Amino acid sequence: MKRSILVVDDDTRILGSLSRALAGDVDEVRTAESGEEALQKLASSPAAVALVDLKMPGMDGLELLRL
């Protein structure tokens, strides 16, 4: 099974930093800038782990995790 992480944050600098930091430890690091984008990506390809920012405009991290 592919070890993948989905990082969700509305701050692109944080997305880039976390992606680089995690890249050597898993098979794939994907990113999303919103809860809605994360749901779309998860629908097409599940992730083993999601690292989610709790405070985002629109759908916040807690709402995303409940879905």
Side-chain angles (χ1 to χ4, degrees):
M1 178 181 208
K2 187 184 240 185
R3 297 174 307 151
S4 64
I5 294 178
L6 177 62
V7 181
V8 186
D9 200 303
D10 58 319
D11 186 329
T12 57
R13 294 172 298 168
I14 292 173
L15 286 178
S17 295
L18 288 173
S19 294
R20 286 187 299 277
L22 295 168
D25 297 324
V26 296
D27 298 323
E28 178 183 45
V29 177
R30 294 181 293 152
T31 62
E33 294 182 27
S34 68
E36 294 83 5
E37 182 182 357
L39 288 177
Q40 291 173 352
K41 290 189 175 195
L42 290 169
S44 65
S45 178
V49 173
L51 184 59
V52 179
D53 181 10
L54 294 180
K55 293 185 179 181
M56 296 184 291
M59 181 187 302
D60 68 23
L62 289 177
E63 185 178 354
L64 172 61
L65 293 174
R66 281 188 219 123
L67 298 174

